Amino acid sequence: MRALVQRMLKSTQKGRNVSAYACYIASGVSGGHGAAWSTPPITLWLDGQPGAVGDELVAGSGICRITVLPGSPVVTIDGETQVTAWHELYDAPERFGVTFEQLSRVRVPFELYFGLSVQDARQIFYDRNVEGVPVAKNLAMSMDQRDIGTQIAHRIAETVKVEHGGKVVPLTKLVQNRKRQLTKTDPEVVTLSALRVLVVTALHGRAGLNLSSSTVHDADLPDGVDTEQAERELVPLLSQLIAGLFPHFAARDAVSAPAVLAGIGIAAHQATSWAATGTRLSSDELVRLLEPVRFEREARYWGGVAASANASGALNFGGGAKDSGGRVADAILGPDTDHGRRIRGW
């Protein structure tokens, strides 16, 4: 019956997510997430009719008490990963650091459909899983207050004050939270995802390129570094850089491209106390390295470094941080290299 209205769980990404979902629920149940956690209602389908349907509990509400007979074929149409995660929790609560008593206090909301044909149940499965518009990754990341990269990016945007349009405003008013790319008509000067790339690469150096689209939690911080220290060092360091480079942001120059910000972040990593390799830099030395860089969006500076150029010289920064961030870092940190001289117009 389940196979008629559900997809396979075993050996799929959906199945691999079960234990992570169970850990999330366990942390919420035990207070680890505070009030900032939730699980959506589970959608169930009963093939046939319930044993009994009572009178409305509140007149006109449609809320009734129903009886489902033991052995009735009840199938999860939507929320099966959550259901399976609850099973894992109840099978071995100690594995997840919770107790049966804690679990028994949780009330799991659900909706139960009955009296529907298999075809109707399949259609509900389709509607719930396909008709909804997925949340854009950039928007979702801007909402994730547990991600350390997002936390610090927001702190920097709140800290930096810039003169724009004749007014002094916090940078946060000029950060695009909902999209991954700016258009010519956008009033913002940088996206949150690009600002987060700067933070993650400053935090991890080159290794941050592989974390630019992944959630960064406490366990992902460099050895010996906690969230407080990371914020204490990175917020003033990166705020100083952004404030100094703001005229280039306002002019929509290459500095707002994720690949360029990734390269700047890798260079900034050398000014952190936890940088383990490469030449250590002071914040002043870092600023001096960036001062002569030509951030104009021109092929003679950025073609082949952070972007590709077509026959007419138009630049495409579509490769992104992972593809080009390392080359930009090499050019910033190596002023005497071919790429280093190129981005400085020498």
Side-chain angles (χ1 to χ4, degrees):
M1 185 59 67
R2 176 196 172 280
L4 293 174
V5 295
Q6 258 294 356
R7 51 188 161 167
M8 290 295 294
L9 185 64
K10 187 178 180 180
S11 301
T12 64
Q13 182 58 48
K14 178 182 173 183
R16 288 189 288 272
N17 192 42
V18 169
S19 290
Y21 205 154
C23 289
Y24 169 78
I25 294 172
S27 184
V29 168
S30 58
H33 296 322
W37 77 286
S38 174
T39 55
I42 296 164
T43 303
L44 305 172
W45 168 57
L46 167 63
D47 181 31
Q49 296 291 333
V53 179
D55 295 333
E56 287 184 321
L57 299 179
V58 178
S61 69
I63 300 174
C64 306
R65 186 181 301 280
I66 71 169
T67 301
V68 178
L69 300 176
S72 298
V74 178
V75 178
T76 307
I77 296 177
D78 192 39
E80 189 176 45
T81 306
Q82 184 189 158
V83 170
T84 312
W86 281 112
H87 280 294
E88 284 213 2
L89 286 167
Y90 271 90
D91 286 344
E94 68 284 349
R95 174 185 162 202
F96 297 95
V98 292
T99 64
F100 283 117
E101 289 72 23
Q102 288 175 307
L103 295 176
S104 67
R105 289 195 292 267
V106 179
R107 295 294 176 263
V108 181
F110 66 91
E111 54 185 11
L112 175 67
Y113 288 87
F114 57 86
L116 301 181
S117 67
V118 171
Q119 289 75 19
D120 291 337
R122 290 171 67 91
Q123 189 62 50
I124 292 173
F125 171 86
Y126 174 88
D127 293 347
R128 290 294 177 91
N129 288 281
V130 178
E131 293 290 358
V133 178
V135 177
K137 190 166 188 177
N138 194 47
L139 175 59
M141 195 166 286
S142 73
M143 299 291 188
D144 185 3
Q145 300 310 299
R146 296 192 191 97
D147 177 75
I148 293 170
T150 299
Q151 288 178 23
I152 296 178
H154 279 303
R155 285 279 292 110
I156 291 168
E158 293 164 0
T159 300
V160 176
K161 303 296 189 292
V162 296
E163 185 173 344
H164 188 68
K167 298 179 180 178
V168 176
V169 298
L171 181 67
T172 189
K173 290 185 176 294
L174 301 172
V175 175
Q176 170 57 259
N177 289 305
R178 296 179 175 273
K179 298 189 294 186
R180 293 182 68 82
Q181 292 183 331
L182 295 173
T183 64
K184 291 181 180 179
T185 59
D186 286 328
E188 296 85 5
V189 300
V190 66
T191 65
L192 178 68
S193 60
L195 195 58
R196 183 182 175 278
V197 165
L198 172 68
V199 171
V200 175
T201 49
L203 185 61
H204 286 281
R206 292 178 190 272
L209 294 173
N210 293 323
L211 295 171
S212 58
S213 58
S214 303
T215 303
V216 178
H217 290 147
D218 290 346
D220 303 310
L221 289 172
D223 291 341
V225 179
D226 59 23
T227 303
E228 183 179 348
Q229 179 185 357
E231 185 171 319
R232 186 171 61 247
E233 290 195 31
L234 291 184
V235 170
L237 175 64
L238 299 182
S239 294
Q240 177 188 7
L241 293 183
I242 292 172
L245 294 171
F246 183 73
H248 296 293
F249 282 101
R252 301 295 187 89
D253 286 345
V255 71
S256 63
V260 177
L261 285 174
I264 293 173
I266 293 170
H269 176 74
Q270 298 307 125
T272 64
S273 63
W274 57 85
T277 60
T279 303
R280 288 291 302 277
L281 298 172
S282 68
S283 59
D284 290 339
E285 289 171 329
L286 178 61
V287 169
R288 285 197 293 271
L289 275 176
L290 292 172
E291 279 178 347
V293 174
R294 304 297 300 267
F295 286 105
E296 298 93 329
R297 285 181 178 256
E298 296 183 20
R300 55 180 168 161
Y301 304 132
W302 296 103
V305 182
S308 58
N310 61 22
S312 63
L315 288 176
N316 179 5
F317 288 87
K322 289 184 180 180
D323 291 340
S324 306
R327 284 198 300 273
V328 175
D330 291 339
I332 291 172
L333 293 169
D336 294 327
T337 63
D338 289 343
H339 285 162
R341 288 190 288 270
R342 173 184 278 264
I343 67 171
R344 291 168 174 82
W346 296 346

